[in-house]
Amino acid sequence: MARLVMKFGGTSVANIERIKNVARHVKREIEAGHEVAVVVSAMSGKTNELVAWCREAATLYDSREYDAIVASGEQVTSGLLAVALQDMGIPARSWQGWQLPISTDDAHGSARILSVNGDEIVRRFGAGREVAVIAGFQGIHEPTGRITTLGRGGSDTSAVAVAAAIKADRCDIYTDVDGVYTTDPRIVPKAKRLDKVAFEEMLEMASLGAKVLQVRSVEMAMVHKVRTFVRSSFTDPDAPELKTAGDPPGTLICDEEEIVESEVVTGIAFARDEAQVSIRRVPDKPGIAANVFVPLADANINVDMIVQNVSAEGFTDITFTVPTADFERAKATLAPVKSEIGFGTIEGATDVVKISIIGIGMRSHAGVAARAFKALSERGINIRAISTSEIKISVLIDAAYTELAVRTLHSVYGLDA
Ligand code: ADP
Ligand code: ASP
Ligand code: MG
């Protein structure tokens, strides 16, 4: 007998038929003798609709009410799955974030989980083997008693947090793909499924654009050593191979030590939500970078890639990226300090994409970046900015070349199936 958390994303619970299919996946695990807590997302498209309604009702909305609105999608699916399970003769009970509780800080809209109380659901595993169906994405800020939400894609984090709290043997993330691929399989049909991915690599892939797992869920899995397994909900729940002891198809997110042979490059990720800001003719003297980046930090604007040219005649250009959502605000923040800093103009572009090459094998291999630059130049793709870390290389290019660049790099590093 094992204790499992099973998480189902939006497309997996998109309608009643799929919710019944999810119930059959749960039934299979119950019949195998396991204790099961399920975490569900809202039906696909629901959260977008709720966010749009909120924005339509008021341009400057109260973030506590935003959370009250958008958390409702998960309330519906948790109740529906509990009903579908009961209908199959399986004892089940739905739980909202506040009912367990899943306690968070008060950063409404992107709250962090502080603790999860799993005592009652564990007690009910013992008394009557009841399945807990938990609404993902939501929690409660206990001092104020208000509902909070965890940021888009947050049900993954709910699932891993519940798994850590109830000391589950595994956290299964059921989604619309059968694992983590070398890149988004929707963009590159030749992408390959990875059997295992190290926590650190998955953290980079998720934060650099692979939305298959929310970044915080990977952080949490890494800290609490939760065995997280990404797999498909679109398989036949009663397929004989899922009932045997062998490993089902999917990707295990695990410690580096568990990966026997690692490739130099594990995957390619891309993010379309960054914008480029360039400041021209900045006087090149000590303190200039601080003059530019301190106001941005004070305005809570996250700066990612930074490039500064060597100076010519005492002037230089500084280019950096910010989230697209903060693009206008970044320009507006720097405009008032123009005379103080003494720069020429601010330019920028939002039709850019950041493509990243990720792999722990890079630590011990030279020349990985050079291959990317060569391959991109052979395709006539101009690189606007570069940033690197020990296990990743990112380049900023024109968005029009996204698919070409991802496909090119995918094959250059030998990742094509
Ligand atoms: P869910 O609704 O189940 O949470 P998401 O849409 O959040 O599902 O995440 C699954 C999607 O992530 C896939 O449909 C796929 O298009 C996308 N994706 C992006 N990068 C990858 C990758 N490297 N491997 C697998 N899927 C990826
Ligand atoms: N329903 C939420 C969203 O769409 C949370 C999730 O699906 O993980 O962002
Ligand atoms: Mg998701």
Side-chain angles (χ1 to χ4, degrees):
M1 184 196 78
R3 183 172 289 174
L4 301 178
V5 169
M6 303 172 75
K7 180 259 171 178
F8 294 90
T11 38
S12 307
V13 293
N15 53 46
I16 302 300
E17 195 190 328
R18 291 204 184 148
I19 289 176
K20 288 185 175 175
N21 193 59
V22 162
R24 288 167 60 209
H25 277 289
V26 175
K27 183 165 186 258
R28 180 190 66 239
E29 302 298 359
I30 291 293
E31 284 174 352
H34 303 317
E35 295 173 338
V36 178
V38 187
V39 173
V40 285
S41 291
M43 291 176 171
S44 68
K46 194 63 193 175
T47 310
N48 286 349
E49 181 181 54
L50 294 167
V51 170
W53 284 348
C54 177
R55 291 191 177 142
E56 202 181 319
T59 24
L60 281 179
Y61 46 79
D62 180 329
S63 59
R64 286 157 294 196
E65 300 311 334
Y66 166 93
D67 278 350
I69 297 160
V70 301
S72 66
E74 274 73 8
Q75 171 156 355
V76 173
T77 44
S78 59
L80 286 172
L81 180 58
V83 167
L85 285 164
Q86 289 168 358
D87 193 50
M88 288 178 173
I90 298 170
R93 187 59 63 211
S94 70
W95 297 88
Q96 307 306 298
W98 60 269
Q99 288 172 311
L100 283 178
I102 294 177
S103 159
T104 75
D105 64 14
D106 63 351
H108 286 277
S110 60
R112 272 186 184 274
I113 295 178
L114 302 174
S115 66
V116 175
N117 186 338
D119 294 350
E120 184 59 16
I121 54 180
V122 169
R123 194 186 67 73
R124 292 178 185 215
F125 285 156
R129 300 197 349 124
E130 189 178 278
V131 174
V133 186
I134 300 157
F137 183 51
Q138 52 165 276
I140 179 172
H141 175 240
E142 291 194 273
T144 54
R146 303 303 314 180
I147 291 170
T148 53
T149 63
L150 310 178
R152 299 306 305 268
S155 297
D156 297 327
T157 306
S158 310
V160 175
V162 168
I166 66 171
K167 299 192 169 50
D169 296 286
R170 211 173 65 218
C171 180
D172 281 349
I173 305 285
Y174 286 81
T175 182
D176 55 6
V177 277
D178 61 358
V180 177
Y181 278 68
T182 44
T183 193
D184 190 339
R186 286 181 210 267
I187 299 287
V188 182
K190 287 181 183 162
K192 277 186 296 201
R193 191 180 67 227
L194 297 157
D195 288 337
K196 290 181 177 179
V197 181
F199 285 123
E200 250 185 280
E201 285 176 321
M202 195 61 233
L203 203 53
E204 290 283 11
M205 285 181 65
S207 51
L208 295 168
K211 299 217 166 85
V212 58
L213 286 176
Q214 200 200 31
V215 180
R216 284 181 187 169
S217 71
V218 187
E219 281 170 0
M220 188 158 308
M222 190 158 132
V223 171
H224 296 283
K225 297 257 180 268
V226 176
R227 287 179 80 76
T228 305
F229 187 65
V230 180
R231 58 191 294 183
S232 172
S233 72
F234 289 97
T235 51
D236 174 6
D238 301 313
E241 63 270 24
L242 297 185
K243 295 190 177 178
T244 54
D247 287 339
T251 303
L252 183 69
I253 320 296
C254 59
D255 270 328
E256 215 176 293
E257 291 75 50
E258 279 194 54
I259 299 172
V260 195
E261 37 181 338
S262 75
E263 302 292 332
V264 177
V265 170
T266 304
I268 316 281
F270 57 93
R272 301 181 201 265
D273 51 2
E274 273 186 58
Q276 176 188 335
V277 181
S278 295
I279 314 178
R280 304 283 183 211
R281 271 187 81 75
V282 187
D284 192 14
K285 56 181 193 217
I288 281 300
N291 285 347
V292 172
F293 295 114
V294 168
L296 294 172
D298 288 346
N300 243 327
I301 296 173
N302 242 326
V303 173
D304 180 25
M305 309 169 100
I306 301 178
V307 184
Q308 183 180 332
N309 287 354
V310 283
S311 62
E313 292 151 18
F315 290 96
T316 183
D317 293 341
I318 298 179
T319 290
F320 54 89
T321 62
V322 296
T324 310
D326 290 330
F327 179 62
E328 292 302 332
R329 220 156 55 81
K331 289 199 295 182
T333 304
L334 290 174
V337 289
K338 182 171 192 261
S339 55
E340 195 184 313
I341 304 175
F343 61 79
T345 53
I346 304 181
E347 292 161 23
T350 51
D351 53 350
V352 292
V353 64
K354 182 174 71 177
I355 312 239
S356 305
I357 305 154
I358 299 133
I360 39 178
M362 271 186 218
R363 286 192 195 124
S364 49
H365 283 80
V368 181
R371 282 169 76 187
F373 303 155
K374 182 160 176 282
L376 294 174
S377 80
E378 281 167 2
R379 298 285 187 288
I381 299 172
N382 181 41
I383 299 174
R384 292 163 168 260
I386 301 168
S387 70
T388 62
S389 78
E390 209 186 13
I391 65 163
K392 72 117 206 276
I393 300 154
S394 301
V395 294
L396 191 72
I397 63 165
D398 288 351
Y401 295 115
T402 308
E403 294 191 9
L404 178 62
V406 174
R407 287 184 186 156
T408 300
L409 296 171
H410 196 265
S411 83
V412 160
Y413 293 106
L415 300 175
D416 285 355

